[in-house]
Amino acid sequence: MKTASRASSLTRRKLLKASAATAALAAFPAPLIAQTKPFAGVTLHGASFQHRFFTLLQKYIPEFEEKTGMKVDLQLSALPVYNQQANLELSSGGSAYDFVNVTFTLATRWIAAGLLANLDEFTGDANLTPADWNPKDFVDGAQVPYRDAKGATYGYSWEGGAMLMGLSRMDLMEKKGLKIPKTFAELQQVCAEINGTDGVSGLVSWFLHNWNLPPYIQGFGGNIFRNPPGDPMPALNTPEAIQGVEFYANLLKSAPKGGLTYTEDQARQAMLTGRANIFIHSSAWVTPILLSDESKVKETSRVVRSPAGPVHDYPASNSQGLGIPKNAKNQKAAWEFIKWALSPEISMKLVKEHGHSSVCRRSIITSDDYRKLNTVNGQDLGALYLEVLELPGKGENYMAYRTSKEFPIVGDVLNKAFEQVATGQLPAKDAMNAAQDQAIAALRRAGTKL
Amino acid sequence: MERRRFIAFALTPSLIVLFAVAVLPAIYLIVTSLTPFQLTTPGSATDFSDPFRNYALLPGDPRFVNSLAVQAKLSVASVLFQVLLGMLLALLLNVPSRFVEFARTFFLIPMVLPPIVVAVIWKLIYAPDISPLYYAAQALHFTLPALTSSVDFALTAIIIADTWEWLPFTFLMVLAALQTIPDEYSEAALVDGASKLQIFWYVTLPFITPILVISGMFRLIDSVKAFPLIFLLTGGGPGTVTEVTNYYAYLLAFDTNEIGYSSAVTVVMLLLVCGISLGLVWMGRRKEALA
């Protein structure tokens, strides 16, 4: 009896399920279902380095998967590990990834070696890219690294970094009658005068000298290469480069003990606690003195443009992009993902819901919502960020040195030479002459024709 | 014959695994070192047109030559410290006592920690703004320089950290050797009126010398692997003061993508380590033969 009743109940349930399924099928015929889930069954493989952007994006990926029917497999690793993996994967012509982070410093190499797909083919096709996605909305300075010599685009930037100057102890500066430095000379003076006052260091920096140093070299009128990217002959021992190296090494005399080997985190912490007065680095590392809950110096801090050199005002900037490997299996699906991840809607969500401000869409950066969130103590941080980020796109691309395929080799030599100067092992002239010879030898060894 | 066949049969799987994980990569390393392999230069991995170019360039590369000198300084100093201090510690702790037993276990901790953890510990110790070492120095009105960014101290800082990590190894080896020495020898010497120093010199030392040589040899071979300490503490700097050969090879391969040249550097390093090992084995055999 009991068994019979159970069997009858199961039959009823089955019948109800079958009816519901039939009704659903009648309402949405098969072709229409396929249209609403255009990438059903596709598993999209992508890789990047770990960054807050992707941690935030991962929260919204299920919505994207639901909409498109594809499954997104996003692998995130530490930056050096990712760069090695991507270098190997791309150069061996593999098809393991459908989309990749186009690392700023590797972009030119990958593009020149033909390892990435031309994204103009996607943006130029109205069926693949609606007009409102608007590729021109991306800040031009952030897009420069992802173009080839003919102007074709191989990546769209998801993150930008613009060099700004943070001052954490304006109270001390005011007491001493010091103003915000606008030139290299004023910067040197402020650092020297503040250093040691109330146990505060004049300035703090971090160990990647080939990122921190070039604005000083360029500020004095020099460059890392003679004329990048076309002429990759190193220019490390020009009088201007030597002057820049001497200046920056002298500036670091106002840094905390051991500051030469500080990590970014150590430098940031020194600023947040008011132990160092000036930090010149990408906006994401500098603006926390005003925006972070950890900051103990919110009331006495300012964030401004970094000082200008006697010849040029060239604050460094960078961006990271998303691109599609040339041999990717699911290029259209990958483009769908990139389009979604960098859409104005998602960008705005990241800004509004998570305060993530380093986006590269001009319409977002100039929006009222963005401005409201990024204006602190009357300082419009977004405007500053945009101003610096777009500089390399205006006229001469002064950041070209950084994405030259020769830069990793020359940058490494520059790092070592600078440390020799800063620690007094060699005078700047001797160190830079030796660095020039080493850089040329290393480039020739690597097959660069000079 | 049957026995031989059985041994060969039993060893085959292990030999295949050993060949796959040790010999094949080494062969690939040697093959790669004969090419100008760069990750972003298509075809460079199979370009054998000038096979000895990388090796010919090595003597003229000042950073490579410097890295060998740095490696030699680091290896000799750290092995000397580890052997001498390990011996001293073993002599001090070679007494039957519960406290000493606990102390022995305590001394083993650095050796069993993952190398990267050791590097992080020393990174904290050497960081002037948060280090207890600097607070203590300040309390004693003593000014310490920034150890890892100072030209004069950076290599010493690495040697100290490496010694801390591997001292337990030599300590353990020597302690084991000390405990095999029959008490009768030292008791007889004592009866003959020998001082403690004389007992150590004429009785203990001859017993433990082979162990000192063996542990020194192991540490010498291992000292070329001080990579995590250098990576985390100094990055090879300031300048190239702490840039040892394997760190230079790492930079070449992963920072500047010169895989072929980096392989050549690594092959030279491999040959040097093999040479040192064979030399020490030969010395050991010669000593045995003489004895």
Side-chain angles (χ1 to χ4, degrees):
Chain A
M1 183 69 192
K2 204 173 175 182
T3 319
S5 147
R6 198 173 166 198
S8 122
S9 139
L10 277 174
T11 310
R12 210 165 35 243
R13 198 173 292 164
K14 273 183 186 168
L15 190 70
L16 282 170
K17 272 188 183 173
S19 314
T22 314
L25 278 171
F28 299 100
L32 192 58
I33 293 174
Q35 268 177 20
T36 53
K37 306 260 185 181
F39 297 100
V42 171
T43 299
L44 193 67
H45 298 282
S48 179
F49 65 92
Q50 266 162 354
H51 189 282
R52 185 167 176 255
F53 170 80
F54 290 105
T55 317
L56 298 175
L57 197 67
Q58 273 171 330
K59 293 180 183 173
Y60 303 109
I61 284 179
E63 290 172 20
F64 173 73
E65 289 176 330
E66 177 61 29
K67 204 169 92 181
T68 59
M70 73 173 90
K71 179 100 187 117
V72 180
D73 167 31
L74 177 58
Q75 296 169 25
L76 301 176
S77 352
L79 179 67
V81 176
Y82 166 73
N83 285 343
Q84 288 161 26
Q85 283 171 343
N87 254 334
L88 274 169
E89 174 60 23
L90 292 176
S91 63
S92 61
S95 57
Y97 301 132
D98 296 309
F99 67 90
V100 289
N101 178 66
V102 186
T103 306
F104 173 69
T105 49
L106 303 171
T108 309
R109 263 188 285 175
W110 289 355
I111 293 166
L115 306 177
L116 297 169
N118 182 349
L119 299 183
D120 290 347
E121 289 166 17
F122 298 94
T123 50
D125 185 340
N127 292 323
L128 295 176
T129 312
D132 62 356
W133 196 78
N134 191 9
K136 289 188 176 164
D137 189 31
F138 288 83
V139 178
D140 206 42
Q143 281 301 112
V144 170
Y146 309 113
R147 292 194 195 117
D148 68 6
K150 291 177 187 164
T153 301
Y154 295 83
Y156 279 97
S157 43
W158 53 265
E159 194 257 352
M163 195 173 253
L164 297 174
M165 174 166 68
L167 302 107
S168 71
R169 299 296 304 270
M170 284 300 296
D171 54 329
L172 284 183
M173 286 176 56
E174 279 160 15
K175 266 186 202 167
K176 287 184 173 261
L178 296 166
K179 286 182 183 162
I180 291 172
K182 289 188 175 166
T183 64
F184 285 1
E186 288 169 7
L187 174 68
Q188 182 74 71
Q189 187 206 349
V190 169
C191 288
E193 289 203 27
I194 289 295
N195 195 38
T197 311
D198 283 357
V200 175
S201 299
L203 165 134
V204 70
S205 195
W206 64 294
F207 70 83
L208 192 63
H209 311 299
N210 65 34
W211 166 255
N212 300 306
L213 172 61
Y216 298 103
I217 291 178
Q218 292 182 324
F220 283 108
N223 205 344
I224 307 301
F225 300 102
R226 201 156 52 191
N227 189 17
D231 180 358
M233 173 60 89
L236 301 179
N237 62 344
T238 60
E240 296 82 9
I242 293 167
Q243 209 176 352
V245 166
E246 266 170 349
F247 178 82
Y248 185 54
N250 206 26
L251 208 57
L252 284 191
K253 286 180 182 162
S254 305
K257 191 184 273 184
L260 192 67
T261 53
Y262 260 32
T263 60
E264 285 171 301
D265 277 321
Q266 275 178 292
R268 178 179 177 268
Q269 207 56 29
M271 286 296 282
L272 292 179
T273 51
R275 285 182 287 118
N277 183 39
I278 289 178
F279 187 25
I280 299 176
H281 190 15
S282 300
S283 44
W285 290 95
V286 170
T287 53
I289 53 172
L290 288 170
L291 299 169
S292 168
D293 293 337
E294 288 174 66
S295 174
K296 291 180 179 164
V297 288
K298 278 186 183 176
E299 302 305 318
T300 58
S301 288
R302 290 291 303 274
V303 174
V304 294
R305 275 284 293 270
S306 54
V311 180
H312 282 299
D313 175 15
Y314 280 163
S317 65
N318 73 336
S319 63
Q320 301 290 342
L322 280 177
I324 301 173
K326 185 95 177 169
N327 296 328
K329 284 182 205 150
N330 301 303
Q331 296 206 351
K332 282 187 180 171
W335 177 242
E336 200 63 25
F337 177 82
I338 292 174
K339 230 169 38 176
W340 167 80
L342 305 182
S343 62
E345 295 74 29
I346 291 290
S347 301
M348 188 47 103
K349 263 188 181 181
L350 297 183
V351 170
K352 280 165 83 172
E353 293 175 16
H354 305 282
H356 181 75
S357 55
S358 56
V359 293
C360 294
R361 274 192 175 269
R362 183 183 295 275
S363 61
I364 304 294
I365 304 169
T366 53
S367 70
D368 287 344
D369 286 326
Y370 185 98
R371 191 174 297 122
K372 260 183 217 162
L373 283 165
N374 290 285
T375 301
V376 187
N377 298 346
Q379 294 166 78
D380 187 346
L381 301 176
L384 272 172
Y385 167 70
L386 181 60
E387 196 179 310
V388 174
L389 198 61
E390 65 187 355
L391 278 179
K394 289 179 173 174
E396 181 192 357
N397 174 17
Y398 66 87
M399 287 307 294
Y401 75 88
R402 183 84 190 171
T403 54
S404 289
K405 64 185 173 63
E406 292 79 13
F407 183 75
I409 290 176
V410 177
D412 178 53
V413 172
L414 180 64
N415 257 354
K416 297 288 170 192
F418 175 73
E419 285 184 359
Q420 287 173 328
V421 177
T423 54
Q425 292 177 70
L426 284 174
K429 194 175 177 186
D430 295 352
M432 298 311 280
N433 278 333
Q436 174 76 1
D437 293 343
Q438 279 179 36
I440 290 172
L443 287 180
R444 286 196 173 131
R445 186 177 69 215
T448 305
K449 288 188 178 113
L450 295 167
Chain B
M1 196 61 192
E2 276 294 306
R3 194 165 169 269
R4 268 192 189 172
R5 260 192 209 162
F6 174 75
I7 291 172
F9 179 73
L11 282 177
T12 304
S14 329
L15 288 175
I16 290 172
V17 171
L18 197 67
F19 184 78
V21 301
V23 181
L24 275 184
I27 293 172
Y28 184 62
L29 179 79
I30 294 166
V31 170
T32 309
S33 75
L34 304 174
T35 68
F37 186 15
Q38 294 233 4
L39 282 178
T40 46
T41 310
S44 59
T46 49
D47 177 2
F48 294 98
S49 57
D50 190 1
F52 298 107
R53 179 178 175 267
N54 291 329
Y55 292 99
L57 288 168
L58 283 174
D61 179 354
R63 274 178 77 173
F64 171 70
V65 176
N66 172 72
S67 77
L68 288 176
V70 174
Q71 183 67 67
K73 278 189 229 169
L74 175 70
S75 294
V76 170
S78 59
V79 171
L80 270 180
F81 277 127
Q82 284 160 31
V83 171
L84 293 177
L85 290 177
M87 183 181 71
L88 192 68
L89 209 59
L91 289 168
L92 288 172
L93 297 182
N94 185 29
V95 283
S97 144
R98 283 203 161 183
F99 172 73
V100 169
E101 268 174 32
F102 169 75
R104 280 181 208 159
T105 317
F106 182 76
F107 276 117
L108 297 183
I109 292 173
M111 192 176 74
V112 296
L113 289 174
I116 198 72
V117 174
V118 173
V120 170
I121 290 171
W122 282 94
K123 174 102 183 162
L124 295 175
I125 292 174
Y126 289 144
D129 44 357
I130 49 169
S131 165
L133 181 71
Y134 284 84
Y135 285 127
Q138 204 177 6
L140 297 168
H141 303 289
F142 181 69
T143 309
L144 273 179
L147 295 168
T148 51
S149 53
S150 155
V151 181
D152 302 321
F153 295 103
L155 192 60
T156 311
I158 302 281
I159 291 167
I160 291 170
D162 192 59
T163 302
W164 181 81
E165 185 180 1
W166 291 110
L167 178 65
F169 173 77
T170 48
F171 159 69
L172 207 62
M173 299 275 278
V174 178
L175 189 67
L178 285 174
Q179 290 180 347
T180 62
I181 305 175
D183 291 339
E184 291 82 10
Y185 291 100
S186 45
E187 281 164 9
L190 205 61
V191 170
D192 287 344
S195 66
K196 282 194 173 174
L197 193 65
Q198 284 172 319
I199 293 175
F200 168 72
W201 192 255
Y202 294 108
V203 179
T204 313
L205 196 58
F207 260 102
I208 61 170
T209 301
I211 288 297
L212 292 178
V213 173
I214 289 169
S215 46
M217 183 182 90
F218 274 121
R219 285 306 309 135
L220 192 66
I221 294 166
D222 248 14
S223 66
V224 297
K225 296 194 290 188
F227 186 88
L229 283 173
I230 289 163
F231 181 77
L232 214 64
L233 294 182
T234 62
T240 51
V241 170
T242 60
E243 192 173 86
V244 292
T245 316
N246 66 3
Y247 193 77
Y248 182 48
Y250 161 81
L251 290 179
L252 287 167
F254 297 109
D255 267 22
T256 62
N257 280 317
E258 295 177 82
I259 307 286
Y261 189 66
S262 171
S263 301
V265 171
T266 314
V267 168
V268 171
M269 209 168 73
L270 186 74
L271 291 175
L272 284 175
V273 171
C274 287
I276 293 168
S277 310
L278 289 174
L280 286 167
V281 168
W282 177 78
M283 271 168 64
R285 281 191 183 159
R286 195 161 169 260
K287 203 175 174 188
E288 269 175 27
L290 287 174

